[in-house]
Amino acid sequence: MEQPKIDWSNLSFGYMPTDVNVRCTYKNGEWGELRTTTDTHISIHMAATCLHYGQEAFEGLKAFMGKDGKIRVFRLDENAKRLQSSCRGIMMAEFPEDKFRDAVILAVRENRRFVPPYESGASLYLRPLLIGTSAQVGVKPASEYEFILFVTPVGPYFKGGFQTTPFVIMREYDRAAPLGTGIYKVGGNYAASLVAGDHAHRLGYSNIFYLDAKEKKYIDECGAANFFAIKGNTYVTPKSTSILPSITNKSLMQLAESMGMTVERRHIPVEELAEFDEAGACGTAAVISPIERIDDYDTKKSYVFSKDGKPGKVCEKLYNKLRAIQYGEEEDVYGWTTIIK
Ligand code: PLP
Ligand code: COI
């Protein structure tokens, strides 16, 4: 197997072509067989519902080359379930869990030369997506769907990887309505976050933390990751009807508990930021991105979590624990990883 010429240690979070992608078609009320293709394009009807009415959902998960030379995929069953939930949320045909698992295994196996080496600290990002493909002009769900899974090797999502960066709160933007689609991983949520994200970047921030859209009182999440904070021996993270249920956050909560910490999922008023010792953004792409400070653009207050620019001790401990399981350095007592044979 010829190794691709890639500077593994300096990868960013971007797209790079790999060998094959996996497809599956839903027609006449059922999903067909999985197939692989080298074609990176799709041909769909111009009236396909994904193009007009946003019938699109996606997932993000990672495969890691372990210290022992084995490839591990992290919590793929959780991603399979969340994709099904997103499908129900925007009335698309649900992709069966066992097919999802098979598609992940097939995609990683067929692209294994693109799994970054253990020493690089990079990983293979898997991007499954599902779209409505049949023609429709009335606002109705499609009758045909396409599932696609492509992979691409990636480095850190926020610049610098495990380094603190600044974030901002701005009340002029919302990402999702309280009873809207924020809990689903659908493309529309990300379209809704682009202007705010661009504004934050232009001001020098990594990203924006949205507040709850109804009361504008509580921290929700940022455009691509959940929020968590450390207060003494407590791990605190928002409870909200408009944020994505992050699999990374769910894992960190479990790890925090195993470390003897108390875990609280509840509303987090903006002013409480002043009481936190550490804070971070977490997600598959973000892993843990420790937060240097959060500036409140409207009140001009600044909440600082790291004065020396270094990540906090608890963030570091959680990060190391999570990575150790993902890279097979530590026993996976939770059964979170799937080894690709
Ligand atoms: N929140 C949003 C809006 C996201 O896009 C993501 C990324 O998937 C997350 C949170 C983190 O979720 P997970 O940890 O499952 O990747
Ligand atoms: C992920 O963490 O997998 C995401 O999907 C976040 C972002 C790249 C959209």
Side-chain angles (χ1 to χ4, degrees):
M1 202 169 53
E2 195 190 327
Q3 282 309 307
K5 288 184 180 51
I6 294 171
D7 183 3
W8 301 109
S9 299
N10 289 305
L11 283 172
S12 62
F13 193 87
Y15 175 80
M16 172 183 300
T18 51
D19 285 335
V20 299
N21 60 87
V22 177
R23 312 261 177 123
C24 190
T25 304
Y26 180 89
K27 235 182 186 167
N28 304 321
E30 59 183 12
W31 286 100
E33 294 300 316
L34 295 177
R35 55 192 198 279
T36 56
T37 175
T38 55
D39 191 356
T40 51
H41 287 68
I42 50 174
S43 173
I44 52 173
H45 196 285
M46 61 187 172
T49 60
C50 64
L51 300 177
H52 299 246
Y53 303 130
Q55 270 202 308
E56 188 273 349
F58 67 99
E59 271 305 325
L61 62 164
K62 280 177 172 171
F64 303 86
M65 179 62 77
K67 198 174 183 178
D68 54 5
K70 291 182 182 158
I71 301 171
R72 287 171 177 79
V73 180
F74 191 66
R75 305 201 80 170
L76 71 89
D77 300 339
E78 291 288 333
N79 293 92
K81 285 193 202 116
R82 193 171 62 188
L83 179 60
Q84 291 191 328
S85 161
S86 297
C87 286
R88 288 193 296 275
I90 58 168
M91 291 198 76
M92 301 199 292
E94 283 177 48
F95 196 62
E97 256 186 85
D98 57 337
K99 269 204 195 304
F100 187 96
R101 166 174 279 274
D102 291 348
V104 165
I105 294 170
L106 184 60
V108 175
R109 231 181 239 156
E110 296 296 311
N111 290 292
R112 62 189 179 280
R113 67 194 186 108
F114 289 94
V115 182
Y118 167 69
E119 299 75 24
S120 68
S123 55
L124 186 73
Y125 186 69
L126 281 66
R127 172 52 63 85
L129 61 118
L130 202 151
I131 51 174
T133 50
S134 54
Q136 194 73 262
V137 181
V139 182
K140 280 191 287 244
S143 54
E144 292 175 12
Y145 294 87
E146 190 74 7
F147 169 88
I148 303 171
L149 198 167
F150 69 82
V151 305
T152 195
V154 295
Y157 187 68
F158 293 117
K159 66 173 184 295
F162 192 64
Q163 272 180 31
T164 61
T165 59
F167 287 68
V168 68
I169 288 169
M170 289 179 184
R171 285 169 191 73
E172 68 194 272
Y173 303 107
D174 288 325
R175 167 185 172 271
L179 300 176
T181 57
I183 54 168
Y184 308 121
K185 202 162 168 67
V186 298
N189 296 338
Y190 298 81
S193 77
L194 293 175
V195 171
D198 180 62
H199 194 168
H201 289 151
R202 278 188 284 111
L203 294 172
Y205 297 104
S206 272
N207 215 323
I208 167 176
F209 275 110
Y210 296 95
L211 300 186
D212 76 285
K214 192 173 176 188
E215 299 193 71
K216 295 281 188 177
K217 275 191 186 163
Y218 309 108
I219 309 283
D220 248 358
E221 63 171 342
C222 71
N226 273 185
F227 174 81
F228 73 91
I230 307 298
K231 189 177 184 174
N233 196 38
T234 306
Y235 179 104
V236 195
T237 194
K239 187 178 169 79
S240 164
T241 54
S242 50
I243 64 176
L244 192 77
S246 156
I247 297 160
T248 311
N249 198 0
K250 188 175 174 177
S251 311
L252 293 176
M253 285 188 250
Q254 222 167 317
L255 292 177
E257 260 172 12
S258 78
M259 284 159 42
M261 296 182 73
T262 305
V263 172
E264 292 178 3
R265 265 188 78 223
R266 58 166 170 84
H267 287 339
I268 300 177
V270 177
E271 303 73 47
E272 195 185 353
L273 290 175
E275 297 168 27
F276 295 144
D277 305 318
E278 300 178 31
C282 66
T284 298
V287 193
I288 286 180
S289 296
I291 300 171
E292 179 198 327
R293 64 172 204 281
I294 299 179
D295 292 342
D296 188 323
Y297 188 72
D298 307 294
T299 65
K300 306 293 172 220
K301 279 192 191 147
S302 192
Y303 303 94
V304 180
F305 307 107
S306 169
K307 288 204 178 65
D308 57 3
K310 290 198 190 113
K313 292 267 174 304
V314 181
C315 277
E316 192 167 351
K317 212 166 152 186
L318 286 167
Y319 177 87
N320 288 339
K321 192 109 187 134
L322 180 71
R323 301 290 272 180
I325 295 173
Q326 292 173 331
Y327 285 98
E329 295 161 4
E330 207 171 279
E331 194 194 347
D332 172 17
V333 291
Y334 305 101
W336 285 342
T337 57
T338 300
I339 293 177
I340 308 294
K341 297 256 163 49

